[in-house]
Amino acid sequence: MSALKYLIPVLAAAGGAFAANGCTSPENVIQNQGDATALANCETISGDVIIAPEVAGTIQLDGVQKINGDLNCTKATGLTGLLANDLETIGGGFILTGLTRLSGLTFPQLTAVDSIQWQALGALQNLSFTSTVSKAKNVLISDTQLQSLQGINLEVVDNFNINNNRYLTTMDVQLKNISTSLTVQENARSLVASFPNLQTALNMTFRNCSDVKLPSLSTVNGTMVFSNVGFKSFGAPNVTKSGGISFVGNPELTNISLPLLTTIEGGYQIANNSGLLIVNGFRQLKTVAGALDFSGNFTDVSLPALSDVKGGFNLQTSAEFDCGPFQSAANSGVVKGTFVCAGKQIAPGTAGNPTSSAGSPKKTGAATSRYSVSAFAVVGLSSAVVGLLHLSL
């Protein structure tokens, strides 16, 4: 008994020393719940917290309010739950990878991280982020069973990449600015990607979702890509400038409206949208700094303000049209690169692909003119040509 009297204080002191060292250690490895409990006296952990691959069951990290480094758990295939009831800030990355049995994350006080990197979390269905994560520079969420992103609601981010989450049907994020890239692809086919407050972005890619809503977007400094999206109509009523724009392989699309767009600083491609017969939603577009490349089943294309295409021009359609007005615009110098306009195409092709006309093509000079849909408004054209600037069959 007398020996035990002296042993208990020694063990308590040793535990306190472990906790104190953990608070300032550059790396804290958790191999079991006992290791997590030993950190409970640390309000702030200076280094990284690493949950070892052999950990199983649930880990609860209470008491810790701030981790200056990363919170990292990789390939702990036996981990089923992760809780940190007091954690408010992760100064580094929140990294979870290859956790095949992890079904829930409970971080009720967490509001700020440097980055989120979650990959291959095939059982993750729920986030309990009561206070909502509102600050992160980079977000990557891939291959989870999440049905929504409730609990993550950022205003500003560098990269936001949400992909291969097959159960994700709801995405309503209050982002205002994306400084590098926004990628939403290969999630649930029924996903509606809504960014009601987004005003500026660099690059945006949307693939394999049902709808995209960008009502406040005004400027895209990089590319804007829509591929295999299920929307019937797309509108961005406040966009005035964009880098490259691409609508490719959207079979339900029947209408595109960017009524205030004046400048495209890259290429402009519309291709393989089988339901898109009329292109008339770019009434103020004046300048395309790259190539203009349209192919499809168009019955009407109207670009009444277009006065400068610095690259090539390709318009191929399965319908029969007169390319005369387009040819006149090209001859007047509107198009600086190669000009191709062809109707009655068996397989309307994108730029660089040969035409496949069922009839006899008409060629003039260096520019190849075949059959057209509609034409440009060009300063200096005769009134007779101006009268043909909008043909509709």
Side-chain angles (χ1 to χ4, degrees), residues 299-316:
T299 60
D300 179 39
V301 173
S302 180
L303 300 167
L306 193 63
S307 59
D308 189 13
V309 179
K310 299 183 185 301
F313 177 97
N314 176 73
L315 194 158
Q316 297 186 38

Side-chain angles (χ1 to χ4, degrees), residues 121-126 143-148 164-168:
L121 311 180
L124 181 63
Q125 299 179 353
N126 300 302
D143 191 12
T144 75
Q145 285 194 34
L146 290 174
Q147 298 179 28
S148 77
N164 287 283
N165 303 283
R166 301 297 184 176
Y167 296 84
L168 186 64

